Amino acid sequence: MDERVIGRSGQWASVVGLGTWQLGADWGDVDDKQALSVLEAAAEAGVTFFDTADVYGDGRSEETIASFLRGRPDLHVLIATKMGRRVEQVPENYVLDNFRDWNDRSRRNLGVDRIDLVQLHCPPTPVYSSDAVFDALDTLVEEERIAAYGVSVETCAQALTAIARPRVASVQIILNPFRMKPLREVLPAAREAGVGIIARVPLASGLLSGKYTKDTVFAADDHRTFNRHGEAFDQGETFSGVDYETGVEAAAEFAALAPQGYTPAQLALRWIIEQDGVTTVIPGARNPEQARANAAAAKLPPLPEETFTAIRELYERRIEEQVEYRW
């Protein structure tokens, strides 16, 4: 699989990575055997970038990745984790002592002395403007606890503030055919600054797979049940912030745009891969078949221009007014 450099870090990631939120929590039950089989399928398909966080299953996702890699010393996989969501979300908690504590825990969970990439996990907006926060992150690099750092953001404005920081290696942001604002505001700035872009929620929480209907029922412990209106965390993380009924209808139209040989999910992933400035896209997977199908999007033919045009028209007609003003 093709790889791209993660901005200023000098590290490389496969163009399709693996998001591992599903392997920790909030997507229904995934047992340990199933989680390990997902990691194995992704790695065998050429994925060299795993994204996790210390709050995914309160460390379970990190520990599962460590368990898998211990059994596969032949693999070179770049691991990115996130920190900051295990405490009350106030700027005062984003200080060096906490960073060291969180980093110690993640390094134990992952079984490493130094983490490849650590990202602030969608912190409060003032954090992005704090010199002290980024000085503290520089200290973690100097102490060889981490090789590089980035941020995960909710809004384009947060992304632009972070990109202006001279040592930010990457910005992780929601980007998919139902969330296009970053194409206009964030990707050009990231390209100019040499900052990597990690595209998350690429399938709009599964909507863009075309599998769901208005009658679909998700498990009680699935965020697609308990966070539809932002009850637990930012609403944009669930279905990209799109009203579910609208999303299902628009997803059916999106599925009809898939060229021959593409699944709807692969169409969404391929659309993201081909955006200038994207480093990697990190779909999740609940089973090995999904992991392999997602990775296969990297090897599909480029999309025809008329498909890009049709996807843009669908977004502007059905989705744009719901999401652009918020994120």
Side-chain angles (χ1 to χ4, degrees), residues 83-113:
M83 66 179 186
R85 303 292 294 188
R86 301 185 69 250
V87 294
E88 183 183 0
Q89 289 300 287
V90 294
E92 292 77 13
N93 280 330
Y94 285 78
V95 296
L96 180 58
D97 285 347
N98 283 344
F99 287 2
R100 285 178 173 143
D101 288 345
W102 302 338
N103 177 258
D104 286 344
R105 184 175 184 271
S106 285
R107 288 188 296 137
R108 287 194 300 270
N109 288 345
L110 290 166
V112 298
D113 294 325

Side-chain angles (χ1 to χ4, degrees), residues 141-172:
V141 175
E142 292 164 5
E143 295 176 347
E144 298 188 351
R145 293 166 166 270
I146 65 177
Y149 62 81
V151 296
S152 184
V153 305
E154 297 291 1
T155 70
C156 289
Q158 292 169 345
L160 293 172
T161 302
I163 287 168
R165 292 280 169 180
R167 295 183 182 86
V168 166
S170 62
V171 168
Q172 184 175 141

